[in-house]
Amino acid sequence: DIQMTQSPSSISVSLGDRFTITCRASQDIGNYLSWYQQKPEKSPKLMIYRATNLEDGVPSRFSGSRSGSDYSLTINSLESEDTGIYFCLQHKQYPYTFGAGTKLELK
Amino acid sequence: QVQLKESGPGLVQPSQTLSLTCTVSGFSLTSYNVHWVRQPPGKGLEWMGRMRYNGDTSYNSALKSRLSISRDTSKNQVFLKMNSLQTDDTGTYYCTRAEAAFPFDYWGQGVMVTVSS
């Protein structure tokens, strides 16, 4: 199975700050990497697909990038509504696997 | 609009079988794949398996011996059955949609399943 190592596991950020979450894939997954935001008691919401593509309706302060086997989600100028847990997902190969999640809180 | 909704029992006894239904609307099961994903309380997400648009299935090898996914296209429903449930099967079970080679775009609200006697 492909392991997705996500970091950090949690982070406290101030409003207006920029921060980045990273997932490292244990095998080649090409650009079959997406990012999800999950609010408490809610279903995950797709934010970024194919590593760098912004899902419709997602604010442009979110962006995705790739460097080799490292995939990153960056939020520029954090807003209060951005708090939650973020997961990466690889859908290159079955079983699809998720990162362990990053809990984003306001400082 | 696209909707998925899970239904099933909230409480299952250990060693029993879990049966869940995902009822979809706004798209065709013969055009999209439907996946099942679960999440233990306070933990991460686990992909369980998939019903492909053409009726083929794939399963997580960790669950394969216990898991079965089927569908009824006339009722727009996808079914999950998992046997020999244990307490660590407790969690929220989601069905979610994906086009081939694309990630999950729409999710159901999830159904909480507790395995307890």
Coordinates of all heavy atoms in Angstrom, one line a residue, chain B residues 24-73:
Chain B
V24 N -28.4 7.5 -3.9 CA -27.9 8.7 -4.6 C -28.9 9.3 -5.5 O -29.9 8.7 -5.9 CB -26.6 8.3 -5.5 CG1 -25.6 7.5 -4.7 CG2 -27.0 7.5 -6.7
S25 N -28.7 10.6 -5.8 CA -29.6 11.3 -6.7 C -28.7 12.4 -7.4 O -27.7 12.8 -7.0 CB -30.7 12.0 -6.0 OG -30.3 12.9 -5.0
G26 N -29.2 12.8 -8.6 CA -28.5 13.8 -9.4 C -27.4 13.3 -10.3 O -26.8 14.1 -11.0
F27 N -27.2 12.0 -10.3 CA -26.2 11.4 -11.2 C -26.6 9.9 -11.3 O -27.3 9.3 -10.5 CB -24.8 11.6 -10.7 CG -24.4 10.8 -9.5 CD1 -23.7 9.6 -9.6 CD2 -24.7 11.3 -8.2 CE1 -23.4 8.9 -8.4 CE2 -24.3 10.6 -7.1 CZ -23.7 9.4 -7.2
S28 N -25.9 9.3 -12.3 CA -26.2 7.9 -12.6 C -25.1 7.0 -12.0 O -23.9 7.3 -12.2 CB -26.4 7.6 -14.1 OG -26.5 6.3 -14.4
L29 N -25.5 5.9 -11.4 CA -24.5 4.9 -11.0 C -23.8 4.2 -12.1 O -22.8 3.6 -11.9 CB -25.2 3.8 -10.1 CG -25.8 4.3 -8.8 CD1 -26.5 3.1 -8.0 CD2 -24.7 4.9 -7.9
T30 N -24.3 4.3 -13.3 CA -23.6 3.7 -14.5 C -22.7 4.7 -15.1 O -22.1 4.4 -16.2 CB -24.7 3.2 -15.5 OG1 -25.5 4.3 -15.9 CG2 -25.6 2.1 -14.9
S31 N -22.5 5.9 -14.5 CA -21.6 6.9 -15.0 C -20.5 7.2 -14.0 O -19.4 7.7 -14.4 CB -22.3 8.1 -15.4 OG -23.2 7.9 -16.5
Y32 N -20.7 7.0 -12.8 CA -19.8 7.3 -11.7 C -19.5 6.2 -10.8 O -20.3 5.3 -10.6 CB -20.3 8.5 -10.9 CG -20.3 9.8 -11.6 CD1 -21.4 10.2 -12.4 CD2 -19.3 10.7 -11.4 CE1 -21.4 11.4 -13.0 CE2 -19.3 12.0 -12.0 CZ -20.4 12.3 -12.8 OH -20.4 13.5 -13.5
N33 N -18.3 6.2 -10.2 CA -17.9 5.2 -9.2 C -18.4 5.7 -7.9 O -18.4 6.9 -7.6 CB -16.4 5.0 -9.1 CG -15.8 4.6 -10.5 OD1 -16.5 4.0 -11.3 ND2 -14.6 5.0 -10.7
V34 N -18.8 4.8 -7.0 CA -19.2 5.1 -5.6 C -18.3 4.3 -4.7 O -18.1 3.1 -4.9 CB -20.7 4.8 -5.4 CG1 -21.0 4.9 -3.9 CG2 -21.6 5.7 -6.2
H35 N -17.7 5.0 -3.8 CA -16.8 4.5 -2.8 C -17.4 4.5 -1.4 O -18.2 5.4 -1.1 CB -15.5 5.2 -2.8 CG -14.8 5.3 -4.1 ND1 -13.5 4.7 -4.3 CD2 -15.1 5.9 -5.3 CE1 -13.2 4.9 -5.6 NE2 -14.1 5.6 -6.2
W36 N -16.9 3.6 -0.6 CA -17.1 3.7 0.9 C -15.9 4.0 1.6 O -14.8 3.4 1.4 CB -17.7 2.4 1.4 CG -19.1 2.1 0.9 CD1 -19.5 1.4 -0.2 CD2 -20.3 2.5 1.5 NE1 -20.9 1.3 -0.3 CE2 -21.4 2.0 0.8 CE3 -20.6 3.3 2.7 CZ2 -22.7 2.3 1.1 CZ3 -21.9 3.5 3.0 CH2 -23.0 3.0 2.3
V37 N -16.0 5.0 2.5 CA -14.9 5.4 3.3 C -15.3 5.5 4.8 O -16.5 5.9 5.0 CB -14.4 6.8 2.9 CG1 -13.3 7.4 3.8 CG2 -13.9 6.8 1.5
R38 N -14.5 5.1 5.7 CA -14.9 5.2 7.1 C -13.9 6.0 8.0 O -12.8 6.1 7.6 CB -15.2 3.8 7.7 CG -13.9 3.0 7.9 CD -14.2 1.6 8.6 NE -13.1 0.8 8.7 CZ -13.1 -0.4 9.4 NH1 -14.2 -0.8 9.9 NH2 -12.0 -1.1 9.5
Q39 N -14.4 6.4 9.1 CA -13.6 7.2 10.0 C -13.9 6.9 11.5 O -15.0 7.2 12.0 CB -13.9 8.7 9.7 CG -13.0 9.7 10.5 CD -13.2 11.1 10.0 OE1 -14.3 11.5 9.6 NE2 -12.1 11.9 10.0
P40 N -13.0 6.2 12.1 CA -13.2 6.0 13.6 C -13.2 7.3 14.3 O -12.7 8.3 13.8 CB -11.9 5.2 14.0 CG -11.4 4.6 12.7 CD -11.7 5.6 11.7
P41 N -13.9 7.4 15.5 CA -14.0 8.6 16.2 C -12.7 9.3 16.5 O -11.8 8.7 17.0 CB -14.7 8.2 17.5 CG -15.4 6.9 17.1 CD -14.6 6.3 16.1
G42 N -12.6 10.5 16.1 CA -11.3 11.3 16.3 C -10.1 10.9 15.5 O -9.0 11.3 15.8
K43 N -10.3 10.0 14.5 CA -9.2 9.5 13.8 C -9.3 9.8 12.3 O -10.2 10.6 11.9 CB -9.1 8.0 14.0 CG -8.8 7.6 15.4 CD -8.4 6.2 15.6 CE -8.0 5.9 17.0 NZ -7.7 4.4 17.2
G44 N -8.4 9.3 11.5 CA -8.3 9.6 10.1 C -9.3 8.7 9.3 O -10.1 7.9 9.8
L45 N -9.1 8.9 8.0 CA -10.1 8.3 7.0 C -9.4 7.0 6.4 O -8.2 6.9 6.2 CB -10.4 9.2 5.9 CG -11.1 10.5 6.3 CD1 -10.8 11.7 5.4 CD2 -12.6 10.3 6.4
E46 N -10.3 6.0 6.2 CA -9.9 4.7 5.6 C -10.8 4.4 4.4 O -12.0 4.3 4.6 CB -9.9 3.6 6.6 CG -9.5 2.2 6.1 CD -9.7 1.1 7.1 OE1 -10.6 1.2 7.9 OE2 -8.9 0.2 7.0
W47 N -10.1 4.2 3.3 CA -10.9 3.8 2.1 C -11.2 2.3 2.2 O -10.4 1.5 2.5 CB -10.0 4.0 0.8 CG -10.7 3.5 -0.4 CD1 -11.6 4.2 -1.2 CD2 -10.5 2.3 -1.1 NE1 -11.9 3.5 -2.3 CE2 -11.3 2.3 -2.3 CE3 -9.7 1.2 -0.9 CZ2 -11.3 1.2 -3.2 CZ3 -9.7 0.1 -1.8 CH2 -10.5 0.1 -2.9
M48 N -12.5 2.0 2.0 CA -12.9 0.6 2.2 C -13.1 -0.2 0.9 O -12.7 -1.3 0.8 CB -14.3 0.6 2.9 CG -14.3 1.2 4.3 SD -15.9 1.2 5.1 CE -16.0 -0.6 5.5
G49 N -13.7 0.5 -0.1 CA -14.0 -0.2 -1.3 C -14.7 0.6 -2.3 O -15.2 1.7 -2.0
R50 N -14.9 0.1 -3.5 CA -15.5 0.8 -4.6 C -16.5 0.0 -5.4 O -16.2 -1.1 -5.7 CB -14.4 1.4 -5.4 CG -14.9 2.1 -6.7 CD -13.9 1.8 -7.9 NE -14.0 0.4 -8.3 CZ -13.2 -0.2 -9.2 NH1 -12.2 0.5 -9.7 NH2 -13.4 -1.4 -9.6
M51 N -17.6 0.6 -5.8 CA -18.4 0.1 -6.9 C -18.2 0.9 -8.1 O -18.5 2.1 -8.1 CB -19.9 0.1 -6.4 CG -20.9 -0.2 -7.6 SD -20.7 -1.9 -8.2 CE -21.3 -2.9 -6.9
R52 N -17.6 0.3 -9.1 CA -17.3 1.0 -10.4 C -18.6 1.2 -11.2 O -19.6 0.4 -11.0 CB -16.3 0.2 -11.2 CG -15.6 1.0 -12.2 CD -14.5 0.1 -12.8 NE -13.7 0.8 -13.8 CZ -13.2 0.3 -14.9 NH1 -13.4 -0.9 -15.2 NH2 -12.5 1.1 -15.7
Y53 N -18.6 2.1 -12.1 CA -19.8 2.5 -12.9 C -20.3 1.2 -13.7 O -21.4 1.1 -14.0 CB -19.4 3.6 -13.8 CG -18.4 3.3 -14.8 CD1 -18.7 2.8 -16.1 CD2 -17.0 3.6 -14.5 CE1 -17.7 2.5 -17.0 CE2 -16.0 3.3 -15.4 CZ -16.4 2.7 -16.7 OH -15.4 2.4 -17.6
N54 N -19.3 0.3 -14.0 CA -19.7 -0.8 -14.8 C -20.1 -2.1 -14.0 O -20.3 -3.1 -14.5 CB -18.6 -1.2 -15.8 CG -17.3 -1.7 -15.1 OD1 -17.3 -1.6 -13.9 ND2 -16.3 -2.0 -15.9
G55 N -20.1 -1.9 -12.7 CA -20.5 -3.0 -11.8 C -19.3 -3.7 -11.1 O -19.5 -4.6 -10.3
D56 N -18.1 -3.4 -11.6 CA -16.9 -4.0 -10.9 C -16.7 -3.5 -9.5 O -17.1 -2.4 -9.2 CB -15.7 -3.8 -11.8 CG -15.6 -4.5 -13.1 OD1 -16.5 -5.5 -13.2 OD2 -14.8 -4.2 -13.9
T57 N -16.1 -4.3 -8.7 CA -15.8 -3.9 -7.3 C -14.3 -4.0 -7.0 O -13.6 -4.8 -7.6 CB -16.6 -4.7 -6.3 OG1 -16.4 -6.1 -6.5 CG2 -18.1 -4.4 -6.4
S58 N -13.9 -3.2 -6.1 CA -12.5 -3.3 -5.5 C -12.6 -3.1 -4.0 O -13.5 -2.3 -3.6 CB -11.6 -2.2 -6.1 OG -11.3 -2.4 -7.5
Y59 N -11.8 -3.8 -3.3 CA -11.8 -3.7 -1.9 C -10.4 -3.5 -1.3 O -9.4 -3.9 -1.8 CB -12.4 -5.1 -1.3 CG -13.8 -5.4 -1.8 CD1 -13.9 -6.4 -2.7 CD2 -14.9 -4.8 -1.3 CE1 -15.2 -6.8 -3.2 CE2 -16.2 -5.1 -1.8 CZ -16.3 -6.1 -2.7 OH -17.6 -6.4 -3.1
N60 N -10.5 -2.8 -0.1 CA -9.2 -2.7 0.7 C -8.9 -4.2 1.2 O -9.7 -4.8 1.8 CB -9.5 -1.8 1.9 CG -8.2 -1.4 2.6 OD1 -7.3 -2.3 2.8 ND2 -8.1 -0.2 3.0
S61 N -7.7 -4.6 0.9 CA -7.3 -5.9 1.3 C -7.4 -6.2 2.7 O -7.6 -7.3 3.2 CB -5.8 -6.2 0.8 OG -4.9 -5.3 1.3
A62 N -7.3 -5.1 3.5 CA -7.4 -5.3 5.0 C -8.8 -5.7 5.4 O -9.0 -6.2 6.5 CB -7.0 -4.0 5.7
L63 N -9.8 -5.4 4.5 CA -11.2 -5.7 4.9 C -11.8 -6.7 3.9 O -12.9 -7.2 4.2 CB -12.0 -4.4 4.8 CG -11.5 -3.2 5.6 CD1 -12.3 -2.0 5.2 CD2 -11.8 -3.6 7.1
K64 N -11.1 -7.1 2.9 CA -11.7 -7.9 1.8 C -12.4 -9.1 2.2 O -13.4 -9.4 1.6 CB -10.6 -8.2 0.8 CG -11.1 -8.8 -0.5 CD -10.0 -9.0 -1.5 CE -10.5 -9.5 -2.8 NZ -9.4 -9.6 -3.9
S65 N -11.9 -9.8 3.2 CA -12.5 -11.1 3.6 C -13.8 -10.8 4.3 O -14.6 -11.8 4.4 CB -11.6 -11.8 4.5 OG -11.3 -11.1 5.7
R66 N -14.1 -9.6 4.7 CA -15.3 -9.3 5.5 C -16.3 -8.5 4.7 O -17.4 -8.3 5.2 CB -15.0 -8.6 6.8 CG -14.1 -9.4 7.7 CD -14.1 -8.8 9.1 NE -13.5 -7.5 9.2 CZ -13.9 -6.5 9.9 NH1 -15.1 -6.5 10.6 NH2 -13.3 -5.3 10.0
L67 N -15.9 -7.9 3.6 CA -16.6 -6.8 3.0 C -17.2 -7.2 1.6 O -16.6 -7.9 0.9 CB -15.6 -5.6 2.8 CG -16.2 -4.3 2.2 CD1 -17.3 -3.7 3.1 CD2 -15.0 -3.3 2.0
S68 N -18.4 -6.7 1.4 CA -19.1 -6.9 0.1 C -19.8 -5.6 -0.3 O -20.5 -5.0 0.6 CB -20.1 -8.1 0.2 OG -20.8 -8.2 -1.0
I69 N -19.6 -5.2 -1.5 CA -20.3 -4.0 -2.0 C -21.1 -4.4 -3.2 O -20.6 -5.1 -4.1 CB -19.3 -2.9 -2.4 CG1 -18.6 -2.4 -1.1 CG2 -20.0 -1.7 -3.0 CD1 -17.4 -1.4 -1.4
S70 N -22.4 -4.0 -3.3 CA -23.2 -4.3 -4.4 C -24.1 -3.1 -4.7 O -24.0 -2.1 -4.1 CB -24.1 -5.5 -4.1 OG -24.9 -5.3 -2.9
R71 N -25.0 -3.2 -5.7 CA -25.8 -2.1 -6.1 C -27.1 -2.5 -6.7 O -27.2 -3.7 -7.2 CB -25.0 -1.2 -7.0 CG -24.9 -1.7 -8.4 CD -24.1 -0.7 -9.3 NE -24.0 -1.3 -10.7 CZ -23.4 -0.6 -11.7 NH1 -22.9 0.6 -11.5 NH2 -23.4 -1.1 -12.9
D72 N -28.0 -1.6 -6.8 CA -29.3 -1.8 -7.5 C -29.5 -0.5 -8.3 O -29.9 0.6 -7.7 CB -30.5 -2.0 -6.5 CG -31.8 -2.2 -7.2 OD1 -31.9 -1.8 -8.4 OD2 -32.7 -2.9 -6.7
T73 N -29.1 -0.5 -9.5 CA -29.2 0.7 -10.3 C -30.6 1.2 -10.5 O -30.8 2.5 -10.6 CB -28.5 0.5 -11.7 OG1 -29.2 -0.6 -12.4 CG2 -27.0 0.2 -11.6

